[in-house]
Amino acid sequence: MSILVTGAAGFIGSNLVQHLLKKWPDRRIVSFDALTYSGNLLNLEPVRDHPNHTFVKGDICDREGVRAVLVDHEISGVIHLAAESHVDRSIVDPMAFVRTNVDGTVTLLQEASEAWGDRDDVRFHHVSTDEVFGSLGDTGAFDETTPYSPNSPYSASKAASDHFVRAWHETYGLPVVLTNCTNNYGPYQFPEKLIPVVLTRAMAKRTVPVYGQGSNVRDWLFVEDHCDALATVFDRGQNGETYGIGGEAEVSNLELVHAILDEFDLATGNRVGASRALVAFVDDRPGHDLRYAMDISKIRAELGWHPTVTLKQGIARTVRWYLDNGAWLDAVSGGEYRQFEELWYSDRDGAAT
Ligand code: NAD
Ligand code: DAU
C-alpha cells in the first residue's frame, strides 16, 4: 500500500511521516509538499534515506502534478495536511488561504476521485482543526455534532475544505474520514506559532508577545499523540465519519507562556521564574477566539485512542528539542519569515512587564 501525505515537510506532516514509517513497515509513504515558507526538507532529514519513503515536490493546486503523483506512485490512501496554517497570516493575506486550503483541497478530491473510480479499498483522510467550530465560552467543549462557526479567514478556509470533503463523500461516494484537532506542539513547529515564538524569543532575550491579556484558552496536544490518532483513524475510522481529537489539557495563554519560560529557565540554569519578566502584553489578534476545547469521547470509545503525553512532559520535551536544535531554527527562520515577523510584530513588540 502506498500512502500520500500532503504537507509532509511541515510541522505535523514531518512528525507524521516519521511516525508512520516506524508504525507501518509494510507500507510506502510518499511525501508531497510545495516547500512554502513553513515547509522544509530538513524536517524530513531523519527519513531521507528510508527505503519506504519518497519525497515529491509539488503543489496541491496543480492538477497535473497531483494526478501524476497519484498514478505514478499507485497511491491508495491520502492523508491530507497541506495548508496555510497560521491565523495571523490569514488576517494579512486571506487569498493565499482560499487558494491552498479550498482550491487545493478540491483539486486533490477531484484527482483522487478520478484516479480511484469506484474502488472501495482506498481512503482520503482530511486533517482539520477545531477552529472550524468557532469560539467557546467559559464552559463546554466541541464535539462532532457542533455546528460550524469559523471566525478567522484561516478557520473559514478550513471549514470550507471540510464541507467539500464531506460533499465528495456524499455526492461521488469517495471513501473519506475527517479529523478536527486542537492545538499541537512539539518538535519541528515553525517559529511563528505561540510555543516556538516564546522559546526563540526567550533564547534571544527578546520580549515575548502575549496578545490581549493572555486570557484566551487553548487545548494542547503533543504532536506525537496527534500522529498516533491520525494513524488510528486512517486505519480504523468509519467512512464518512468525523473524529474530534484533543489533549484534554486546557490552559490560558499566559499560564502556558509562564510554564514554558519556567521550563526554559530550568533547562538553561537560570533562576526559575526569571524569564517571566520578558512577557509583554501587546495588541490583541482581531477576532481572537476566546476558548477551544474538544470532547474526545467518540475516538476514545470507538477507536480506543487517548492522549498519552501530559502537558508538563510535552513542554519539557519541546523546550529540550528547541534548545538542542539551534541550527534547525536558524535554517528555517530566514528570508520570508523574517519579513513577516517584522511586519507583524513591528508595532506589537511592547514593553516587558
Ligand atoms: P505547517 O504550516 O507547519 O505545514 C504546512 C505544510 O503544507 C508545509 O510544509 C507547506 O510547505 C505545505 N504546503 C502549503 N501550501 C501547499 C501547497 N499549495 N501544496 C503543497 N504543500 C503545501 O502546518 P501544520 O501546523 O503542520 O498543520 C498541518 C495541517 O494540520 C493543516 O491542515 C492544519 O490546518 C492542520 N492542523 C494543525 C494544527 C496545529 O496546531 N498546528 C491543529 C489542527 C489541525
Ligand atoms: O486549534 C488548532 C489550531 O491551532 C490550528 O488549526 C492552527 O493551524 C494552529 O496555528 C493553532 O492556531 P492558534 O491560533 O490557536 O495558534 P497560535 O500558536 O497562533 O496561537 C495560540 C494562542 O496564542 C492564540 O490564542 C494566540 C496567542 N498568541 C499567539 C502568538 C503567535 C500570542 O499570545 N502571542 C503570539 O505571539
Side-chain angles (χ1 to χ4, degrees), residues 170-181:
E170 294 297 330
T171 306
Y172 305 108
L174 186 71
V176 306
V177 282
L178 293 91
T179 47
N180 295 85
C181 186

Side-chain angles (χ1 to χ4, degrees), residues 13-126:
S14 59
N15 278 283
L16 180 67
V17 169
Q18 294 182 43
H19 181 87
L20 297 182
L21 285 166
K22 279 189 209 126
K23 191 178 174 95
W24 294 337
D26 55 342
R27 301 184 195 178
R28 289 195 55 75
I29 304 295
V30 179
S31 288
F32 190 77
D33 200 296
L35 300 180
T36 68
Y37 77 94
S38 71
N40 200 307
L41 282 177
L42 279 178
N43 301 358
L44 292 170
E45 189 63 23
V47 290
R48 190 178 59 167
D49 299 323
H50 195 293
N52 288 348
H53 180 235
T54 308
F55 176 81
V56 176
K57 184 176 177 190
D59 186 330
I60 56 166
C61 300
D62 168 21
R63 289 188 77 135
E64 313 279 297
V66 167
R67 186 174 310 157
V69 77
L70 289 170
V71 173
D72 294 352
H73 293 272
E74 299 178 355
I75 299 295
S76 55
V78 172
I79 308 182
H80 173 37
L81 296 99
E84 289 292 339
S85 68
H86 190 37
V87 174
D88 294 339
R89 280 179 192 261
S90 80
I91 296 166
V92 178
D93 182 13
M95 284 311 288
F97 288 69
V98 176
R99 178 185 181 276
T100 287
N101 300 359
V102 186
D103 291 0
T105 299
V106 174
T107 303
L108 269 178
L109 288 165
Q110 279 183 311
E111 291 305 320
S113 285
E114 186 71 28
W116 292 340
D118 291 335
R119 282 173 64 180
D120 58 8
D121 60 340
V122 289
R123 167 150 281 183
F124 189 104
H125 180 162
H126 180 58

Side-chain angles (χ1 to χ4, degrees), residues 55-316:
F55 176 81
V56 176
K57 184 176 177 190
D59 186 330
I60 56 166
C61 300
D62 168 21
R63 289 188 77 135
E64 313 279 297
V66 167
R67 186 174 310 157
V69 77
L70 289 170
V71 173
D72 294 352
H73 293 272
E74 299 178 355
I75 299 295
S76 55
V78 172
I79 308 182
H80 173 37
L81 296 99
E84 289 292 339
S85 68
H86 190 37
V87 174
D88 294 339
R89 280 179 192 261
S90 80
I91 296 166
V92 178
D93 182 13
M95 284 311 288
F97 288 69
V98 176
R99 178 185 181 276
T100 287
N101 300 359
V102 186
D103 291 0
T105 299
V106 174
T107 303
L108 269 178
L109 288 165
Q110 279 183 311
E111 291 305 320
S113 285
E114 186 71 28
W116 292 340
D118 291 335
R119 282 173 64 180
D120 58 8
D121 60 340
V122 289
R123 167 150 281 183
F124 189 104
H125 180 162
H126 180 58
V127 178
S128 192
T129 170
D130 62 347
E131 297 198 16
V132 297
F133 301 121
S135 184
L136 291 164
D138 290 338
T139 57
F142 304 129
D143 67 22
E144 293 79 3
T145 66
T146 305
Y148 277 49
S149 183
N151 292 317
S152 71
Y154 163 69
S155 52
S157 68
K158 290 296 291 189
S161 68
D162 291 12
H163 294 319
F164 275 107
V165 173
R166 196 177 308 281
W168 247 257
H169 176 66
E170 294 297 330
T171 306
Y172 305 108
L174 186 71
V176 306
V177 282
L178 293 91
T179 47
N180 295 85
C181 186
T182 60
N183 286 60
N184 282 217
Y185 68 105
Y188 301 102
Q189 188 166 32
F190 192 76
E192 64 186 353
K193 306 285 169 65
L194 179 64
I195 291 180
V197 162
V198 174
L199 283 170
T200 50
R201 292 177 74 104
M203 285 181 216
K205 299 200 179 349
R206 294 172 70 193
T207 54
V208 170
V210 172
Y211 299 168
Q213 294 307 305
S215 49
N216 303 67
V217 173
R218 297 289 182 265
D219 169 61
W220 294 90
L221 179 67
F222 193 63
V223 64
E224 279 177 17
D225 273 337
H226 187 195
C227 294
D228 192 51
L230 294 177
T232 302
V233 172
F234 180 84
D235 262 350
R236 295 194 282 114
Q238 293 294 312
N239 270 338
E241 289 291 313
T242 289
Y243 298 85
I245 302 171
E248 297 184 322
E250 278 185 61
V251 63
S252 77
N253 290 344
L254 188 58
E255 287 173 283
L256 180 71
V257 168
H258 282 164
I260 295 161
L261 291 173
D262 289 354
E263 186 62 39
F264 171 79
D265 284 339
L266 191 66
T268 53
N270 289 343
R271 179 179 61 77
V272 173
S275 293
R276 290 187 183 205
L278 295 172
V279 168
F281 294 100
V282 299
D283 288 351
D284 211 349
R285 170 185 281 173
H288 197 173
D289 288 335
L290 176 67
R291 179 172 161 260
Y292 304 142
M294 184 63 75
D295 177 344
I296 59 168
S297 307
K298 179 175 173 177
I299 189 170
R300 195 189 278 277
E302 292 185 13
L303 304 180
W305 178 87
H306 59 84
T308 63
V309 180
T310 66
L311 188 56
K312 194 170 169 44
Q313 292 165 340
I315 287 175

